[in-house]
Amino acid sequence: MAVERNPQRAQMADASMVRNLAYQARALWPQEAPLLGRYRLPAAARILDVGCGTGEIASRVAEALPAARVVGVDLLEGHLALARERYGRLAPRLSFAQGDGYALAFPEGAFDLAICRHVLQAVPEPGRVVAEMARVVRPGGFVHLLLEDYGLLHASPCSPALERFWQDVPRRFGDALGTDMLVGRRGFALLRGAGLEEIAHVDLVVDTLRVPRDVFAGIIEAWRDGFSEALAGHAGLAPDEVRARWEELLAVIRDPAGYAVWRVPIWSGRVPVR
C-alpha cells in the first residue's frame, strides 16, 4: 500500500507494514530467488536494496550469495534498527543505512545490482528512484524492481462489490496521495525512461495453490489492519464497507473451495556499457 500522511494512521500502517513485509517475503522469495541467476553477478557482488524496510529480503540475498556485500537503505530508522538487530550475524557483509531513494549517497557505478521491492507504488515520481538506482549501478549491472499492482488481485467466488473494490478503490487512494497503485504495469516505461536495456518481465504469483493460505491471508490482514481507515477516507467509502470487502476476500482465501490470486510483476533492466 502507499504512504499515509495522517500521523495516527501512519503509526498504525507502520506496525502493519512490519508484519506485512515478513508475510510478503515468505510468499514471494521462493519464486524470486532463482531470478538472481540471470544477472550474471560476480562472486563478490555489490548489491543495494533500496527501501529495504526491516531487511527481510536484503538478509535473504546475503544468505543466498555468501561472498556478496549487501547494503540496505531506507528512510525509516525504526525499520533499520530492527533489521540490524535481527540480522547482525551477517555483518559486515550485510549493512543498513538511512537513505533517500531520490538521492542515494553512493557514487556512480558502486553496485553490480540494485533492488527495489514494494516501494514504488508508495512514492510520487517513481521514475526518479529508478534513475538513481541506474546511476549507482556499474555499466553491465542490473536494476531489479518488484512493483505492486492492485488491479492484479482477483478472487473467486466474489461479489460484484469486491470486484469493483479492487478495480476502483486503489486508483482513488493513489490519486489522493499522489502515487500510482497500478505501477506494476508501468515497469517497461520506468526502465526504458532510465535508459536501461535488456528489459525483462515475469510475474510472481501469490495464490492459494502456490502459497499457504495462512501466509496469503497474513498479507491481506496486514493491509486491512493498517489501511482500512485511510482507504475509506480517501475513496469516499464508509469504513464498514471497506472492512467488509477485506473480510470477503479473506473468507475466499481461507476457504478450501475458494481461489484468490495476486500477480506481482518483476521488472529488470541492464545498465548499458558505453
Side-chain angles (χ1 to χ4, degrees), residues 222-240:
W223 289 348
R224 176 199 65 193
D225 296 344
F227 295 98
S228 288
E229 288 192 15
L231 282 170
H234 291 307
L237 298 174
D240 287 349

Side-chain angles (χ1 to χ4, degrees), residues 27-272:
L28 292 165
W29 180 246
Q31 299 176 55
E32 189 175 3
L35 300 180
L36 295 177
R38 67 185 183 180
Y39 301 136
R40 307 187 288 276
L41 294 169
R46 303 159 299 165
I47 300 172
L48 175 67
D49 184 359
V50 177
C52 66
T54 55
E56 293 281 357
I57 296 302
S59 62
R60 285 168 167 83
V61 171
E63 289 171 337
L65 303 171
R69 298 187 72 86
V70 181
V71 179
V73 297
D74 200 278
L75 279 175
L76 300 177
E77 184 56 44
H79 286 190
L80 295 170
L82 186 57
R84 293 186 191 104
E85 178 184 341
R86 287 178 172 177
Y87 306 114
R89 69 186 186 280
L90 296 171
R93 285 198 311 108
L94 173 62
S95 61
F96 298 96
Q98 192 168 35
D100 183 349
Y102 292 123
L104 295 168
F106 303 102
E108 293 184 9
F111 297 94
D112 300 292
L113 172 66
I115 295 169
C116 185
R117 310 173 70 264
H118 301 296
V119 172
L120 296 186
Q121 85 286 348
V123 300
E125 301 181 83
R128 289 177 53 197
V129 177
V130 178
E132 264 295 272
M133 294 172 67
R135 180 186 67 80
V136 302
V137 170
R138 63 168 173 82
F142 284 82
V143 169
H144 172 104
L145 306 176
L146 185 151
L147 301 178
E148 297 190 6
D149 187 325
Y150 298 99
L152 299 178
L153 198 155
H154 306 281
S156 178
C158 76
S159 68
L162 183 57
E163 289 185 348
R164 289 193 301 271
F165 182 90
W166 287 110
Q167 294 303 313
D168 184 40
V169 172
R171 292 175 188 267
R172 283 156 48 183
F173 184 52
D175 288 346
L177 296 178
T179 66
D180 184 0
M181 305 301 282
L182 307 178
V183 73
R185 64 195 68 184
R186 329 278 189 216
F188 183 84
L190 288 171
L191 293 168
R192 185 177 172 84
L196 301 187
E197 58 188 22
E198 292 187 27
I199 296 173
H201 161 251
V202 63
D203 280 346
L204 307 185
V205 180
V206 178
D207 74 351
T208 48
L209 298 177
R210 296 166 179 82
V211 173
R213 289 178 184 267
D214 65 318
V215 174
F216 196 172
I219 295 172
I220 303 305
E221 287 170 342
W223 289 348
R224 176 199 65 193
D225 296 344
F227 295 98
S228 288
E229 288 192 15
L231 282 170
H234 291 307
L237 298 174
D240 287 349
E241 169 69 12
V242 172
R243 200 162 190 90
R245 300 289 72 78
W246 291 123
E247 296 304 331
E248 181 183 354
L249 177 57
L250 284 166
V252 175
I253 292 171
R254 293 179 179 130
D255 183 354
Y259 176 78
V261 57
W262 182 33
R263 298 188 180 278
V264 184
I266 295 277
W267 289 90
S268 63
R270 181 173 176 264
V271 177

